Amino acid sequence: MGARTGDYAVLLGPPVVVGSAVGSVLLVDEPEAFLPLLLVLQPLTTLGIVVGLVQLTRSTRGPSTFRLVVFDGQAAFAIPPAFRRQCLFNGLLSAALLLMALNGLRVPGRIVPTLAWAILVLNASAMVLLLFRMIRSGPLVITPAGIAIDGGRSFVPWAALTAGPESPQWTLIHPELVRGRPIKRFQPGQVVALDVSLWFLFRSIHSYLDHPEHRPAIGTIEELDRLRGALARQSG
């Protein structure tokens, strides 16, 4: 499935805008225009980084529901990946670093331009890694047989999990039952951001561990309504 198109736009938009604006100033060879541009862009990118950082801390936000999908020929509940908050922060941080590095390239000497090139290389490398992660990301899918992580690269059967000592925790007690990519622990939503409230996700999995008789109905609208109603009563 991968990340949403809007996530890529949020990630790549700020550095493209900053790079284009600075590049235009440098190409027309008007160095006196660089300082006003810097005075405008630097506060904007700094403020944006603060906003993005605040958004990153709000990890429990999201809809309290699943999407109905078909996975391996059977109905299931799916949660698509959501990189929007990460992209907002990283896109604006990348723009700020790009602005700082391009300004450093204009400084005479060897040390500052060398540091500026290092910043550009590290910044580009971080963006490529995040883009690679976004492209390869997949949904978390809850099925009657178990839980598919990252679009099915790892599959955790229900028999591999047990309820933890405190609700809504659980424990991966049989890692040898996990199919596909091995995992050491099971903490969905903390490695790849998911478009769902983590409270709702954790409580849902715990509910199916406590009540295996409800698993065959996973993927139906009736079961989704029952699950949401039951969790709403627990949170009230």
Side-chain angles (χ1 to χ4, degrees):
M1 178 179 291
R4 293 174 295 182
T5 303
D7 293 341
Y8 294 104
V10 171
L11 175 65
L12 299 176
V16 168
V17 170
V18 169
S20 300
V22 175
S24 300
V25 171
L26 297 178
L27 285 176
V28 298
D29 196 21
E30 294 185 7
E32 66 276 4
F34 192 88
L35 181 59
L37 183 66
L38 185 66
L39 292 176
V40 171
L41 292 179
Q42 193 67 62
L44 288 177
T45 53
T46 302
L47 178 61
I49 291 172
V50 174
V51 173
L53 189 59
V54 171
Q55 290 295 319
L56 278 178
T57 63
R58 307 169 74 180
S59 60
T60 58
R61 290 176 61 86
S64 293
T65 190
F66 299 125
R67 295 185 183 182
L68 303 180
V69 300
V70 175
F71 181 81
D72 278 351
Q74 60 181 168
F77 295 147
I79 312 160
F83 289 91
R84 184 60 53 88
R85 290 192 289 268
Q86 295 181 45
C87 289
L88 176 64
F89 173 75
N90 285 282
L92 291 166
L93 177 61
S94 176
L97 291 174
L98 180 62
L99 184 62
M100 180 175 64
L102 292 176
N103 189 39
L105 292 177
R106 300 174 62 249
V107 177
R110 182 176 299 178
I111 296 178
V112 174
T114 300
L115 291 175
W117 278 113
I119 291 174
L120 288 174
V121 171
L122 291 174
N123 189 23
S125 299
M127 293 287 282
V128 169
L129 289 175
L130 180 55
L131 284 170
F132 181 74
R133 181 183 175 205
M134 291 168 63
I135 292 171
R136 286 178 53 84
S137 66
L140 183 143
V141 186
I142 300 179
T143 76
I147 302 170
I149 302 174
D150 206 9
R153 290 190 175 89
S154 299
F155 189 85
V156 184
W158 290 111
L161 298 173
T162 187
E166 297 181 6
S167 179
Q169 296 179 351
W170 58 85
T171 304
L172 181 64
I173 55 172
H174 293 295
E176 70 278 3
L177 296 180
V178 176
R179 302 196 298 269
R181 182 181 56 190
I183 56 176
K184 294 182 179 179
R185 59 185 180 273
F186 184 46
Q187 295 177 321
Q190 297 184 9
V191 176
V192 176
L194 297 169
D195 189 26
V196 70
S197 162
L198 293 187
W199 181 91
F200 180 73
L201 173 60
F202 291 176
R203 293 294 308 182
S204 298
I205 294 175
H206 193 275
S207 173
Y208 288 124
L209 289 173
D210 275 350
H211 301 283
E213 68 274 11
H214 293 151
R215 296 175 195 167
I218 289 176
T220 65
I221 186 63
E222 293 80 13
E223 172 60 14
L224 182 57
D225 289 341
R226 185 206 65 78
L227 181 66
R228 294 178 65 185
L231 296 186
R233 288 192 295 273
Q234 291 181 23
S235 63

